[in-house]
Amino acid sequence: MVKTPLISVISQEEKEKNRGSVEFQVFSFTTKIQRISSHLKFHRKDYLSQRGLRRLLVKRERLLSYLSKKNAERYETLIDRLGIQKSETREI
């Protein structure tokens, strides 16, 4: 597996200050999702990683759904900064 450094969208000060914020958690999940996705390109039959990826996707979707209901402006900004597609909001 080739490790590629991911460019941080959130600055270091924001990371130190807001580790528990929804935005930081979504950013963290997105980074993990990208890392696991690149791993699965080389190891297609790694079913445990596939399961972990699905779990992370669901967690991120729940957080994004929560953020879209609480503060639509922050949701839109986060989606744009991370380059994530908008998902259809559904009741979770």
Side-chain angles (χ1 to χ4, degrees), residues 24-69:
F24 182 80
Q25 291 178 28
V26 170
F27 171 74
S28 176
F29 286 146
T30 302
T31 308
K32 289 177 185 177
I33 288 168
Q34 290 172 346
R35 192 177 71 235
I36 293 174
S37 295
S38 68
H39 169 78
L40 287 173
K41 287 180 183 176
F42 295 106
H43 307 283
R44 294 180 191 268
K45 294 192 176 188
D46 188 353
Y47 298 114
L48 289 175
S49 291
Q50 289 177 11
R51 180 175 181 256
L53 178 63
R54 282 192 297 271
R55 291 181 71 186
L56 284 174
L57 287 169
V58 169
K59 283 183 179 182
R60 184 178 75 177
E61 183 180 347
R62 282 186 194 150
L63 282 172
L64 287 172
S65 173
Y66 168 78
L67 187 61
S68 69
K69 290 175 188 172

Side-chain angles (χ1 to χ4, degrees), residues 7 12 15 34 36 54 65 70 91:
I7 299 172
Q12 282 297 106
K15 281 184 184 179
Q34 290 172 346
I36 293 174
R54 282 192 297 271
S65 173
K70 291 293 180 182
E91 300 282 329

